[in-house]
PDB file of all heavy atoms in Angstrom:
ATOM      1  N   ALA A  23      -2.423  -3.041  -5.475  1.00  0.00           N
ATOM      2  CA  ALA A  23      -1.217  -2.203  -5.503  1.00  0.00           C
ATOM      3  C   ALA A  23      -1.564  -0.739  -5.260  1.00  0.00           C
ATOM      4  O   ALA A  23      -0.869  -0.028  -4.528  1.00  0.00           O
ATOM      5  CB  ALA A  23      -0.491  -2.367  -6.836  1.00  0.00           C
ATOM      6  N   VAL A  24      -2.647  -0.257  -5.860  1.00  0.00           N
ATOM      7  CA  VAL A  24      -3.075   1.127  -5.661  1.00  0.00           C
ATOM      8  C   VAL A  24      -3.464   1.357  -4.200  1.00  0.00           C
ATOM      9  O   VAL A  24      -3.098   2.360  -3.590  1.00  0.00           O
ATOM     10  CB  VAL A  24      -4.233   1.488  -6.622  1.00  0.00           C
ATOM     11  CG1 VAL A  24      -4.871   2.816  -6.259  1.00  0.00           C
ATOM     12  CG2 VAL A  24      -3.737   1.520  -8.059  1.00  0.00           C
ATOM     13  N   ALA A  25      -4.199   0.412  -3.624  1.00  0.00           N
ATOM     14  CA  ALA A  25      -4.599   0.533  -2.219  1.00  0.00           C
ATOM     15  C   ALA A  25      -3.370   0.570  -1.308  1.00  0.00           C
ATOM     16  O   ALA A  25      -3.308   1.362  -0.362  1.00  0.00           O
ATOM     17  CB  ALA A  25      -5.524  -0.620  -1.834  1.00  0.00           C
ATOM     18  N   ALA A  26      -2.386  -0.261  -1.585  1.00  0.00           N
ATOM     19  CA  ALA A  26      -1.164  -0.268  -0.781  1.00  0.00           C
ATOM     20  C   ALA A  26      -0.425   1.057  -0.911  1.00  0.00           C
ATOM     21  O   ALA A  26       0.068   1.609   0.081  1.00  0.00           O
ATOM     22  CB  ALA A  26      -0.261  -1.427  -1.194  1.00  0.00           C
ATOM     23  N   ALA A  27      -0.358   1.600  -2.124  1.00  0.00           N
ATOM     24  CA  ALA A  27       0.312   2.888  -2.334  1.00  0.00           C
ATOM     25  C   ALA A  27      -0.419   4.002  -1.592  1.00  0.00           C
ATOM     26  O   ALA A  27       0.210   4.876  -0.988  1.00  0.00           O
ATOM     27  CB  ALA A  27       0.398   3.199  -3.821  1.00  0.00           C
ATOM     28  N   LEU A  28      -1.744   3.985  -1.623  1.00  0.00           N
ATOM     29  CA  LEU A  28      -2.512   4.995  -0.891  1.00  0.00           C
ATOM     30  C   LEU A  28      -2.284   4.875   0.613  1.00  0.00           C
ATOM     31  O   LEU A  28      -2.147   5.887   1.304  1.00  0.00           O
ATOM     32  CB  LEU A  28      -4.005   4.861  -1.205  1.00  0.00           C
ATOM     33  CG  LEU A  28      -4.435   5.356  -2.581  1.00  0.00           C
ATOM     34  CD1 LEU A  28      -5.895   5.002  -2.837  1.00  0.00           C
ATOM     35  CD2 LEU A  28      -4.218   6.842  -2.712  1.00  0.00           C
ATOM     36  N   LEU A  29      -2.240   3.671   1.111  1.00  0.00           N
ATOM     37  CA  LEU A  29      -2.000   3.456   2.539  1.00  0.00           C
ATOM     38  C   LEU A  29      -0.636   3.988   2.936  1.00  0.00           C
ATOM     39  O   LEU A  29      -0.504   4.679   3.946  1.00  0.00           O
ATOM     40  CB  LEU A  29      -2.110   1.962   2.875  1.00  0.00           C
ATOM     41  CG  LEU A  29      -1.856   1.596   4.347  1.00  0.00           C
ATOM     42  CD1 LEU A  29      -2.869   2.277   5.237  1.00  0.00           C
ATOM     43  CD2 LEU A  29      -1.905   0.091   4.520  1.00  0.00           C
ATOM     44  N   VAL A  30       0.378   3.718   2.145  1.00  0.00           N
ATOM     45  CA  VAL A  30       1.718   4.234   2.421  1.00  0.00           C
ATOM     46  C   VAL A  30       1.698   5.766   2.397  1.00  0.00           C
ATOM     47  O   VAL A  30       2.265   6.429   3.256  1.00  0.00           O
ATOM     48  CB  VAL A  30       2.755   3.676   1.416  1.00  0.00           C
ATOM     49  CG1 VAL A  30       4.069   4.421   1.511  1.00  0.00           C
ATOM     50  CG2 VAL A  30       2.970   2.194   1.668  1.00  0.00           C
ATOM     51  N   GLY A  31       1.012   6.354   1.410  1.00  0.00           N
ATOM     52  CA  GLY A  31       0.916   7.812   1.316  1.00  0.00           C
ATOM     53  C   GLY A  31       0.247   8.415   2.533  1.00  0.00           C
ATOM     54  O   GLY A  31       0.704   9.426   3.076  1.00  0.00           O
ATOM     55  N   VAL A  32      -0.827   7.802   3.002  1.00  0.00           N
ATOM     56  CA  VAL A  32      -1.518   8.300   4.197  1.00  0.00           C
ATOM     57  C   VAL A  32      -0.617   8.185   5.420  1.00  0.00           C
ATOM     58  O   VAL A  32      -0.531   9.108   6.232  1.00  0.00           O
ATOM     59  CB  VAL A  32      -2.846   7.540   4.407  1.00  0.00           C
ATOM     60  CG1 VAL A  32      -3.436   7.815   5.772  1.00  0.00           C
ATOM     61  CG2 VAL A  32      -3.842   7.909   3.316  1.00  0.00           C
ATOM     62  N   LEU A  33       0.067   7.068   5.554  1.00  0.00           N
ATOM     63  CA  LEU A  33       0.967   6.900   6.699  1.00  0.00           C
ATOM     64  C   LEU A  33       2.089   7.928   6.682  1.00  0.00           C
ATOM     65  O   LEU A  33       2.422   8.516   7.706  1.00  0.00           O
ATOM     66  CB  LEU A  33       1.548   5.485   6.718  1.00  0.00           C
ATOM     67  CG  LEU A  33       0.579   4.372   7.104  1.00  0.00           C
ATOM     68  CD1 LEU A  33       1.237   3.007   6.926  1.00  0.00           C
ATOM     69  CD2 LEU A  33       0.104   4.548   8.525  1.00  0.00           C
ATOM     70  N   VAL A  34       2.670   8.174   5.522  1.00  0.00           N
ATOM     71  CA  VAL A  34       3.737   9.165   5.419  1.00  0.00           C
ATOM     72  C   VAL A  34       3.198  10.546   5.751  1.00  0.00           C
ATOM     73  O   VAL A  34       3.793  11.304   6.512  1.00  0.00           O
ATOM     74  CB  VAL A  34       4.379   9.141   4.003  1.00  0.00           C
ATOM     75  CG1 VAL A  34       5.260  10.348   3.786  1.00  0.00           C
ATOM     76  CG2 VAL A  34       5.181   7.864   3.829  1.00  0.00           C
ATOM     77  N   ALA A  35       2.032  10.896   5.212  1.00  0.00           N
ATOM     78  CA  ALA A  35       1.455  12.220   5.452  1.00  0.00           C
ATOM     79  C   ALA A  35       1.123  12.425   6.918  1.00  0.00           C
ATOM     80  O   ALA A  35       1.357  13.502   7.468  1.00  0.00           O
ATOM     81  CB  ALA A  35       0.200  12.406   4.597  1.00  0.00           C
ATOM     82  N   THR A  36       0.622  11.401   7.581  1.00  0.00           N
ATOM     83  CA  THR A  36       0.265  11.576   8.991  1.00  0.00           C
ATOM     84  C   THR A  36       1.483  11.586   9.888  1.00  0.00           C
ATOM     85  O   THR A  36       1.460  12.192  10.942  1.00  0.00           O
ATOM     86  CB  THR A  36      -0.710  10.474   9.466  1.00  0.00           C
ATOM     87  OG1 THR A  36      -0.103   9.196   9.261  1.00  0.00           O
ATOM     88  CG2 THR A  36      -2.031  10.566   8.746  1.00  0.00           C
ATOM     89  N   GLN A  37       2.557  10.950   9.478  1.00  0.00           N
ATOM     90  CA  GLN A  37       3.755  10.924  10.307  1.00  0.00           C
ATOM     91  C   GLN A  37       4.651  12.123  10.073  1.00  0.00           C
ATOM     92  O   GLN A  37       5.309  12.593  10.978  1.00  0.00           O
ATOM     93  CB  GLN A  37       4.558   9.644  10.062  1.00  0.00           C
ATOM     94  CG  GLN A  37       3.855   8.399  10.534  1.00  0.00           C
ATOM     95  CD  GLN A  37       3.562   8.442  12.016  1.00  0.00           C
ATOM     96  OE1 GLN A  37       4.422   8.723  12.820  1.00  0.00           O
ATOM     97  NE2 GLN A  37       2.319   8.187  12.385  1.00  0.00           N
ATOM     98  N   LEU A  38       4.701  12.660   8.863  1.00  0.00           N
ATOM     99  CA  LEU A  38       5.617  13.746   8.547  1.00  0.00           C
ATOM    100  C   LEU A  38       4.932  15.082   8.381  1.00  0.00           C
ATOM    101  O   LEU A  38       5.564  16.117   8.516  1.00  0.00           O
ATOM    102  CB  LEU A  38       6.390  13.436   7.258  1.00  0.00           C
ATOM    103  CG  LEU A  38       7.279  12.211   7.316  1.00  0.00           C
ATOM    104  CD1 LEU A  38       7.941  11.996   5.968  1.00  0.00           C
ATOM    105  CD2 LEU A  38       8.322  12.354   8.390  1.00  0.00           C
ATOM    106  N   GLY A  39       3.690  15.088   8.061  1.00  0.00           N
ATOM    107  CA  GLY A  39       3.013  16.351   7.793  1.00  0.00           C
ATOM    108  C   GLY A  39       1.979  16.647   8.842  1.00  0.00           C
ATOM    109  O   GLY A  39       1.964  16.076   9.915  1.00  0.00           O
ATOM    110  N   GLY A  40       1.127  17.584   8.535  1.00  0.00           N
ATOM    111  CA  GLY A  40       0.048  17.924   9.432  1.00  0.00           C
ATOM    112  C   GLY A  40       0.406  19.084  10.325  1.00  0.00           C
ATOM    113  O   GLY A  40       1.567  19.399  10.530  1.00  0.00           O
ATOM    114  N   ASP A  41      -0.644  19.692  10.854  1.00  0.00           N
ATOM    115  CA  ASP A  41      -0.450  20.853  11.715  1.00  0.00           C
ATOM    116  C   ASP A  41      -0.872  20.569  13.137  1.00  0.00           C
ATOM    117  O   ASP A  41      -1.137  21.484  13.898  1.00  0.00           O
ATOM    118  CB  ASP A  41      -1.269  22.038  11.167  1.00  0.00           C
ATOM    119  CG  ASP A  41      -0.712  22.523   9.847  1.00  0.00           C
ATOM    120  OD1 ASP A  41       0.506  22.489   9.665  1.00  0.00           O
ATOM    121  OD2 ASP A  41      -1.517  22.947   9.025  1.00  0.00           O
ATOM    122  N   ASP A  42      -0.950  19.290  13.505  1.00  0.00           N
ATOM    123  CA  ASP A  42      -1.370  19.013  14.865  1.00  0.00           C
ATOM    124  C   ASP A  42      -0.220  19.270  15.831  1.00  0.00           C
ATOM    125  O   ASP A  42       0.886  19.585  15.441  1.00  0.00           O
ATOM    126  CB  ASP A  42      -1.872  17.568  14.985  1.00  0.00           C
ATOM    127  CG  ASP A  42      -0.784  16.547  14.718  1.00  0.00           C
ATOM    128  OD1 ASP A  42       0.310  16.919  14.275  1.00  0.00           O
ATOM    129  OD2 ASP A  42      -1.039  15.364  14.954  1.00  0.00           O
ATOM    130  N   ASP A  43      -0.509  19.149  17.109  1.00  0.00           N
ATOM    131  CA  ASP A  43       0.489  19.441  18.126  1.00  0.00           C
ATOM    132  C   ASP A  43       1.385  18.256  18.441  1.00  0.00           C
ATOM    133  O   ASP A  43       2.318  18.379  19.215  1.00  0.00           O
ATOM    134  CB  ASP A  43      -0.198  19.886  19.425  1.00  0.00           C
ATOM    135  CG  ASP A  43      -0.859  21.245  19.258  1.00  0.00           C
ATOM    136  OD1 ASP A  43      -0.435  21.994  18.360  1.00  0.00           O
ATOM    137  OD2 ASP A  43      -1.784  21.537  20.020  1.00  0.00           O
ATOM    138  N   THR A  44       1.109  17.100  17.843  1.00  0.00           N
ATOM    139  CA  THR A  44       1.906  15.920  18.113  1.00  0.00           C
ATOM    140  C   THR A  44       3.094  15.888  17.175  1.00  0.00           C
ATOM    141  O   THR A  44       2.930  15.872  15.973  1.00  0.00           O
ATOM    142  CB  THR A  44       1.060  14.647  17.907  1.00  0.00           C
ATOM    143  OG1 THR A  44      -0.128  14.760  18.675  1.00  0.00           O
ATOM    144  CG2 THR A  44       1.844  13.417  18.294  1.00  0.00           C
ATOM    145  N   PRO A  45       4.317  15.901  17.722  1.00  0.00           N
ATOM    146  CA  PRO A  45       5.481  15.875  16.832  1.00  0.00           C
ATOM    147  C   PRO A  45       5.609  14.536  16.139  1.00  0.00           C
ATOM    148  O   PRO A  45       5.348  13.497  16.727  1.00  0.00           O
ATOM    149  CB  PRO A  45       6.661  16.121  17.769  1.00  0.00           C
ATOM    150  CG  PRO A  45       6.178  15.708  19.123  1.00  0.00           C
ATOM    151  CD  PRO A  45       4.677  15.934  19.125  1.00  0.00           C
ATOM    152  N   ALA A  46       5.984  14.582  14.874  1.00  0.00           N
ATOM    153  CA  ALA A  46       6.221  13.357  14.116  1.00  0.00           C
ATOM    154  C   ALA A  46       7.563  12.784  14.523  1.00  0.00           C
ATOM    155  O   ALA A  46       8.486  13.522  14.864  1.00  0.00           O
ATOM    156  CB  ALA A  46       6.212  13.655  12.630  1.00  0.00           C
ATOM    157  N   PRO A  47       7.698  11.464  14.498  1.00  0.00           N
ATOM    158  CA  PRO A  47       8.997  10.899  14.814  1.00  0.00           C
ATOM    159  C   PRO A  47      10.002  11.313  13.744  1.00  0.00           C
ATOM    160  O   PRO A  47       9.734  11.189  12.565  1.00  0.00           O
ATOM    161  CB  PRO A  47       8.749   9.391  14.808  1.00  0.00           C
ATOM    162  CG  PRO A  47       7.438   9.185  14.146  1.00  0.00           C
ATOM    163  CD  PRO A  47       6.697  10.481  14.202  1.00  0.00           C
ATOM    164  N   VAL A  48      11.125  11.817  14.179  1.00  0.00           N
ATOM    165  CA  VAL A  48      12.140  12.302  13.253  1.00  0.00           C
ATOM    166  C   VAL A  48      13.479  11.716  13.664  1.00  0.00           C
ATOM    167  O   VAL A  48      13.821  11.719  14.837  1.00  0.00           O
ATOM    168  CB  VAL A  48      12.225  13.842  13.290  1.00  0.00           C
ATOM    169  CG1 VAL A  48      13.327  14.346  12.395  1.00  0.00           C
ATOM    170  CG2 VAL A  48      10.906  14.456  12.893  1.00  0.00           C
ATOM    171  N   SER A  49      14.212  11.214  12.699  1.00  0.00           N
ATOM    172  CA  SER A  49      15.545  10.721  12.985  1.00  0.00           C
ATOM    173  C   SER A  49      16.453  11.899  13.274  1.00  0.00           C
ATOM    174  O   SER A  49      16.428  12.900  12.589  1.00  0.00           O
ATOM    175  CB  SER A  49      16.080   9.944  11.786  1.00  0.00           C
ATOM    176  OG  SER A  49      17.439   9.634  11.988  1.00  0.00           O
ATOM    177  N   THR A  50      17.266  11.785  14.306  1.00  0.00           N
ATOM    178  CA  THR A  50      18.170  12.878  14.649  1.00  0.00           C
ATOM    179  C   THR A  50      19.598  12.562  14.244  1.00  0.00           C
ATOM    180  O   THR A  50      20.499  13.324  14.553  1.00  0.00           O
ATOM    181  CB  THR A  50      18.124  13.151  16.165  1.00  0.00           C
ATOM    182  OG1 THR A  50      18.456  11.952  16.854  1.00  0.00           O
ATOM    183  CG2 THR A  50      16.746  13.642  16.584  1.00  0.00           C
ATOM    184  N   ILE A  51      19.795  11.485  13.545  1.00  0.00           N
ATOM    185  CA  ILE A  51      21.142  11.116  13.123  1.00  0.00           C
ATOM    186  C   ILE A  51      21.592  12.079  12.042  1.00  0.00           C
ATOM    187  O   ILE A  51      21.010  12.149  10.975  1.00  0.00           O
ATOM    188  CB  ILE A  51      21.184   9.665  12.607  1.00  0.00           C
ATOM    189  CG1 ILE A  51      20.769   8.712  13.719  1.00  0.00           C
ATOM    190  CG2 ILE A  51      22.561   9.331  12.061  1.00  0.00           C
ATOM    191  CD1 ILE A  51      20.601   7.298  13.268  1.00  0.00           C
ATOM    192  N   GLY A  52      22.594  12.862  12.322  1.00  0.00           N
ATOM    193  CA  GLY A  52      23.159  13.795  11.359  1.00  0.00           C
ATOM    194  C   GLY A  52      22.271  14.985  11.044  1.00  0.00           C
ATOM    195  O   GLY A  52      22.515  15.700  10.098  1.00  0.00           O
ATOM    196  N   ALA A  53      21.232  15.218  11.837  1.00  0.00           N
ATOM    197  CA  ALA A  53      20.322  16.328  11.561  1.00  0.00           C
ATOM    198  C   ALA A  53      20.554  17.461  12.539  1.00  0.00           C
ATOM    199  O   ALA A  53      21.140  17.283  13.604  1.00  0.00           O
ATOM    200  CB  ALA A  53      18.873  15.853  11.674  1.00  0.00           C
ATOM    201  N   ALA A  54      20.059  18.635  12.159  1.00  0.00           N
ATOM    202  CA  ALA A  54      20.114  19.790  13.051  1.00  0.00           C
ATOM    203  C   ALA A  54      19.184  19.523  14.227  1.00  0.00           C
ATOM    204  O   ALA A  54      18.236  18.755  14.116  1.00  0.00           O
ATOM    205  CB  ALA A  54      19.668  21.039  12.308  1.00  0.00           C
ATOM    206  N   PRO A  55      19.432  20.146  15.358  1.00  0.00           N
ATOM    207  CA  PRO A  55      18.550  19.934  16.496  1.00  0.00           C
ATOM    208  C   PRO A  55      17.128  20.354  16.146  1.00  0.00           C
ATOM    209  O   PRO A  55      16.931  21.371  15.492  1.00  0.00           O
ATOM    210  CB  PRO A  55      19.135  20.825  17.588  1.00  0.00           C
ATOM    211  CG  PRO A  55      20.331  21.489  17.029  1.00  0.00           C
ATOM    212  CD  PRO A  55      20.501  21.070  15.614  1.00  0.00           C
ATOM    213  N   ALA A  56      16.159  19.563  16.589  1.00  0.00           N
ATOM    214  CA  ALA A  56      14.764  19.885  16.317  1.00  0.00           C
ATOM    215  C   ALA A  56      14.325  21.022  17.221  1.00  0.00           C
ATOM    216  O   ALA A  56      14.827  21.176  18.336  1.00  0.00           O
ATOM    217  CB  ALA A  56      13.894  18.650  16.571  1.00  0.00           C
TER     218      ALA A  56
END
């Protein structure tokens, strides 16, 4: 369970965070223009 939680945390951090030049996938439904 801990390993699964860490894996989910890493996936979330790499998809939503970071300072690289690759944009993270973002839902545009009801959101301001990116």
Side-chain angles (χ1 to χ4, degrees):
V24 169
L28 286 173
L29 179 61
V30 168
V32 168
L33 288 173
V34 167
T36 58
Q37 293 300 310
L38 297 178
D41 292 325
D42 64 351
D43 291 337
T44 307
V48 177
S49 172
T50 57
I51 299 172

